Amino acid sequence: MTGRLTGAVPDDPEIRRLLDPYRLPDGRPLPLFEALAHSRAALDDLRRATAACLGAPALDARTREIAVLRVCARAGAETEWAVHVRMFAAEAGLGEAEIQATAAPRDAFPWPARDALVIRLADEIHDDSTVSDALWAALSQACTAQEIVELLLVVTQYHKVACLTNALGLRRPAGTPRMPRPAHGAARDID
């Protein structure tokens, strides 16, 4: 494991079993899951929340992954951004330009209207920990109530994930893509 925690994950068959579904294609455990395996309560919380986000029935993979990538980019959480690009971007149908645009200023890419709302939602939650009335009205026109709730679940959960990834100092796994840095500053400054 790479990051601020020292010491190996407990050599416990139950922990190994719990980590099995959370691995990169080459078999390495996902960095955040491996780090949180030091606390069974934290690992269980992450597993439940991840299942809820990835299984959100009203959201298609594209919408979910645009939200996740944008949240991670805004928070400067390259490790989680890279994991999601590696594991989910192709399934979500995201092209290279769209992937790169998740870390660019909001107006730097011609997002379709619904995707632009997802980007804006991730930005508002990141910046203000809430949703403006104007964005709520726009979301209400473009999404069902279930989609809005599930988007909020994804954005807030991955905001937490980004904070944990950064606080733990987790490094981007070898073989995963680098998150682009906007020309005008760090990923945390994009808008």
Side-chain angles (χ1 to χ4, degrees), residues 67-191:
V68 169
L69 294 176
R70 183 59 172 200
V71 167
C72 291
R74 285 301 309 273
E78 181 179 45
T79 299
E80 192 67 20
W81 185 93
V83 164
H84 272 262
V85 169
R86 174 71 173 90
M87 295 185 67
F88 300 109
E91 165 200 333
L94 295 175
E96 189 59 33
E98 292 167 316
I99 292 167
Q100 299 299 309
T102 63
R106 195 166 47 227
D107 61 356
F109 185 79
W111 291 102
R114 182 179 164 94
D115 294 346
L117 289 174
V118 173
I119 295 286
R120 190 170 151 200
L121 177 64
D123 288 355
E124 286 195 14
I125 295 287
H126 176 79
D127 292 342
D128 303 319
S129 297
T130 193
V131 180
S132 68
D133 290 341
L135 178 55
W136 192 270
L139 285 167
S140 296
Q141 293 297 310
C143 302
T144 67
Q146 183 179 355
E147 289 172 320
I148 293 170
V149 168
E150 290 178 8
L151 269 169
L152 289 170
L153 173 73
V154 169
V155 169
T156 58
Q157 171 61 18
Y158 279 89
H159 184 77
K160 176 176 108 175
V161 164
C163 291
L164 283 167
T165 299
N166 290 342
L168 289 164
L170 299 178
R171 294 186 188 98
R172 179 181 57 83
T176 59
R178 300 278 338 199
M179 186 171 70
R181 301 286 181 216
H184 69 279
R188 293 187 175 120
D189 299 330
I190 61 177
D191 55 14

